Amino acid sequence: MPRDLDELRATNDRLLRILDAGARERLMALPDTVHVSVGIREVGDGITDEFVFKVYVAKKLPAEQLTPQRLVPGVVDGVRTDVCEVLGGVTCVDVAPVVEALAAAVDRPLIGGTAICNGFLGKDEQHPNNANPVLSKGTLGMIVGRLGDRKPCILTNAHVVAAYGLGTPGTVVYQPEPVDAHYPGGPLPWKPTSAGNDVATVAEALLTVKIDAAIAQVIPPSSCCSSSGAKYSLLIKELNVDKTAGGITGSMPPVADLEVVKVGIKTGRVEGTIVDADAPFAIKLPGTGERWDFIGQLKIRGHVDVKPNEDPKLAAPRLFADHGDSGSVVVDMKTRRVVGLLHAREEPNPPLPPDTPVPPTLLGVASNITDVIDTLGIYFADSSDAPGVTGGFSDASADAFVDAPELQPWLTVPALEPLTRHAREIVHLVRRDRRALVAWHRAQGPAWAAAFARSARVPEYRLPAAIQGVGRAEALSSLRTALVERGSPELAAAFADAPPALFTALATCDSVGQLGALLDQQPT
């Protein structure tokens, strides 16, 4: 039976406290362990509702082939374990053969769950024997706002609109394909020059260890630089159970066992369950074959699809994601808040022969929406009551120092004032400046922010000494260095003027409550 969100968060928090109290350290000390997280147990091609410690290894072997020192205990601190291989997969971009005189511009507005492409012609990675050029297609996740100028942008994957480095800021995004996308006979990839059917231009496209994400600024219909342009909608088609368009009420951090839904151009509207909200994942980049490792990903299994008058016992699960669904937003079914950005699916192991249908039990993979928001500097306008077409972005709530309401009361203490005075600049640096952004993620900044938010929400929670091997003092030091180096002279002066005890308190406090008490003791 589905559990409510408060129950899921409480269970996740309880198990994370056990992990941080020493269970993670003991499990990571085992020779084959590469990652440990909290999730739900997988059994064969299905899942249960039992919360476990997910222990990831490079290759899962039968117990009889392992020495006692390599065996993962079945139970750790009262919690059962589930040994899993690090998931390997492929991106969920689709390809289409190139033809001349493609469709002209369609009726709009732009709406989530529809097709977009970047106009680059390339080789067919999905069918290597096909010598004809193809266009890559993906899904328009939804329309979001960009902090700073508050412009409406398409949210999707970097590999959908930027072709893994081919696209740069300013690259045109089309819906449908560019009208002159015929093959000229030159070397691939090749970029059409058509201005027809263009709807947006790439503003940012990033492939990091946490995200595969991009935003493209919508071209207004009145633009003199476009023969088309587009009105847009804040809705996502077929999001609701009755297949009507649905609105988004915001975003929230994902948790294991959350029931979610996504709308993509290949598999359509599919419901599923998050198996793990902090999983490792690896893909081979198209073209180069280079291995790319992600951390902190969502693993999602599609629900069983019971057709009318069908015996539920005979019903099969639906494939949560396939080629073409890249860029779909993953949404909590109850609150209609975005929790992830889908970019890949599990690859069968061993690989299937060509043109063999993929098993419907393969998992979909999505980036944590919190990491996407932090990195791209975007926000979600509340579209729960939005009309079909809208041009307004009036929600400024995302432009906060820390995107965690639980922490806001603690940020007003006098000792923090020299830094909170520069909150907007700090947020801008860790989201937009490359040097600060890299330092933020290497220091496990999003994870530390989540830990502090959890401490504010759960008073008995104790802040860990380290996250993924990065100690709190080390994280503060590296981030402070990057902000001073890349920030304004005024920000550097604020760090210099901050009481030394402030950083000691941040590095050593056991909880947000204790931190607040310590900071209240500091002189203004």
Side-chain angles (χ1 to χ4, degrees), residues 256-502:
D257 206 29
L258 189 69
E259 294 194 335
V260 294
V261 61
K262 75 99 187 65
V263 180
I265 66 170
K266 182 64 175 289
T267 58
R269 182 187 185 280
V270 183
E271 300 176 3
T273 298
I274 297 178
V275 176
D276 190 343
D278 181 26
F281 175 68
I283 62 170
K284 288 186 178 180
L285 299 182
T288 65
E290 174 191 357
R291 178 186 168 109
W292 192 271
D293 290 293
F294 292 93
I295 58 174
Q297 302 300 289
L298 281 59
K299 289 169 50 177
I300 308 166
R301 189 179 296 278
H303 284 174
V304 171
D305 185 21
V306 182
K307 297 179 175 57
N309 303 320
E310 182 182 22
D311 184 348
K313 295 180 181 179
L314 302 177
R318 285 196 63 186
L319 185 66
F320 190 77
D322 203 358
H323 297 300
D325 293 333
S326 283
S328 310
V329 289
V330 180
V331 181
D332 171 33
M333 290 177 59
K334 291 185 177 179
T335 65
R336 295 206 315 279
R337 294 179 181 174
V338 180
V339 297
L341 182 65
L342 188 133
H343 63 90
R345 67 157 168 79
E346 179 184 5
E347 178 78 331
N349 188 16
L352 297 172
D355 300 320
T356 302
V358 296
T361 54
L362 295 180
L363 298 168
V365 179
S367 300
N368 187 320
I369 198 61
T370 302
D371 295 324
V372 175
I373 291 170
D374 283 345
T375 306
L376 293 181
I378 59 173
Y379 66 95
F380 294 88
D382 187 335
S383 61
S384 56
D385 298 314
V389 181
T390 178
F393 280 87
S394 58
D395 176 11
S397 62
D399 198 7
F401 184 29
V402 177
D403 189 17
E406 304 93 333
L407 292 179
Q408 297 304 327
W410 304 97
L411 297 176
T412 59
V413 295
L416 282 174
E417 193 277 334
L419 297 181
T420 55
R421 189 168 62 242
H422 297 276
R424 287 185 180 273
E425 181 181 1
I426 293 173
V427 170
H428 173 81
L429 288 170
V430 300
R431 287 176 169 171
R432 312 296 291 175
D433 181 85
R434 300 279 180 169
R435 168 76 175 84
L437 184 151
V438 170
W440 171 249
H441 283 282
R442 285 181 176 172
Q444 299 297 320
W448 282 116
F452 274 80
R454 190 182 308 132
S455 177
R457 186 173 67 248
V458 184
E460 64 271 20
Y461 173 74
R462 291 295 172 259
L463 294 165
I467 294 179
Q468 297 294 323
V470 180
R472 219 184 312 162
E474 176 189 352
L476 286 167
S477 176
S478 62
L479 186 58
R480 178 180 182 178
T481 298
L483 292 174
V484 169
E485 176 186 322
R486 305 297 295 177
S488 65
E490 292 78 13
L491 178 59
F495 273 105
D497 293 341
L502 167 63

Side-chain angles (χ1 to χ4, degrees), residues 15 41 50-54 73-76 78-82:
L15 267 64
R41 179 178 294 281
E50 178 189 8
F51 274 86
V52 293
F53 291 149
K54 310 283 284 187
V75 178
V76 175
V79 181
R80 294 179 68 186
T81 59
D82 185 18

Side-chain angles (χ1 to χ4, degrees), residues 67-119:
T67 62
Q69 292 77 17
R70 296 175 63 189
L71 279 173
V72 176
V75 178
V76 175
D77 293 347
V79 181
R80 294 179 68 186
T81 59
D82 185 18
V83 181
C84 309
E85 285 190 8
V86 174
L87 204 62
V90 294
T91 59
C92 282
V93 69
D94 200 7
V95 295
V98 178
V99 296
E100 295 190 40
L102 293 176
V106 295
D107 291 336
R108 296 192 173 94
L110 289 172
I111 188 170
T114 54
I116 52 174
C117 76
N118 59 31

